Structures are given as C-alpha cells and as structure tokens.
Amino acid sequence: PPRLMKPLIDAKEAADIQSDRLLHVLLQPSSQPLVEEHLRAARARYAERCQLLVDVLTQELGELAHWSLPGGGFFLWVTLVGEVDTAALLPRCAEAGVTYVPGAEFYPEHRPNPSLRLGFTTLARDDLVSGAERLGRVLRRLLAEARSR
C-alpha cells in the first residue's frame, strides 16, 4: 500500500547506512585467516554431505534418476526418468517424512516437471542417509505404480 512506502524506504535506508559491526570485524585483514579456515572447513563438510547424498541416491534410485554433482552450493538437483510430476509426488513423500522442492517451483509457468531439489547442508549425516533411503523407497514405489497404469 502506498501509505507504507515512506516508512519502508526509511527503514531500508537506515539498515543500509548502519552496516553490521560483526561483518566489519570479519572483513578486517587480521581476521582473514579465520574466515578462510572456516570457509575451507564448510566447503569440505558440504562436499562430503553432497557426496553422501549422491551415494545413497545411487543405491536407492539407480537408473530411475540422474543428477550432476554440483561444484558448490547447498542443493542437489535430481531429475527422475520419464514423465513424472514431482509436485504431484510430494504429498506421498511427505507422508514418509521426506520433503523436497519440486522442480516446477523454479520455472515461471510451474508446469509439471520431473526434477526436484534436495538440500544436504543442514541435516546430520544419519538423518541425511535415512532421509535419502526413505525418499528412494517412496519414489521407487510411486514410479512403479505410475508405470503399471
């Protein structure tokens, strides 16, 4: 609403002018080795978790899906083989305690899409493994049901 524009613009300007003191400390040359070490450790941890997710999905889904190992980031993009709408499969996967972001969410027209995005950075290793195993079991069952129709 137009009446909120001025207060929102003022708040945004105030936030932009008052930069984060922690960020200033982290950007000081004396803190650079700490930041670099943290980034190295985070990258290694995320790469390990991504590979773990890929390994479990390979066991669980085999030829029913494909993906490319990302060069970085927090997510794995998985594409199921065949004409599958991952948005339609999501409620059944959620019943099994596994969720993902359907690929259709990443396209303006939101058409049915066989892809899905999985996160791997926030879960503990055991939770990541059990979640990927459950996802694999549910997707195998749902894909088999779809093929038998």
Side-chain angles (χ1 to χ4, degrees):
R3 64 184 172 79
L4 292 178
M5 289 305 292
K6 171 97 172 90
L8 289 173
I9 290 170
D10 290 346
K12 172 74 171 120
E13 286 176 355
D16 289 346
I17 291 170
Q18 296 295 325
S19 59
D20 187 353
R21 292 190 188 278
L22 177 60
L23 184 60
H24 278 286
V25 170
L26 290 175
L27 293 177
Q28 294 298 317
S30 62
S31 65
Q32 285 298 323
L34 296 174
V35 172
E36 289 302 318
E37 179 55 37
H38 173 74
L39 291 175
R40 269 193 298 281
R43 287 182 192 118
R45 184 171 47 255
Y46 294 159
E48 176 188 322
R49 288 183 182 183
C50 182
Q51 188 60 57
L52 177 63
L53 177 59
V54 165
D55 291 346
V56 176
L57 290 176
T58 299
Q59 283 181 310
E60 293 295 325
L61 294 175
E63 298 298 317
L64 297 176
H66 56 89
W67 49 82
S68 297
L69 204 56
F74 308 124
F75 306 101
L76 181 67
W77 188 258
V78 178
T79 301
L80 301 177
V81 174
E83 293 187 28
V84 181
D85 179 9
T86 57
L89 300 179
L90 183 57
R92 300 268 303 271
C93 291
E95 288 172 8
V98 182
T99 60
Y100 53 81
V101 181
E105 294 300 315
F106 298 94
Y107 297 94
E109 59 281 340
H110 293 279
R111 277 185 266 157
N113 188 293
S115 297
L116 56 103
R117 187 183 79 174
L118 295 174
F120 53 80
T121 59
T122 59
L123 296 173
R125 286 179 55 86
D126 291 345
D127 293 335
L128 187 61
V129 169
S130 66
E133 289 171 346
R134 277 181 297 179
L135 178 65
R137 283 193 300 272
V138 173
L139 288 176
R140 275 196 323 273
R141 186 174 67 247
L142 294 174
L143 293 172
E145 288 173 9
R147 281 194 304 270
S148 67
R149 287 185 213 149

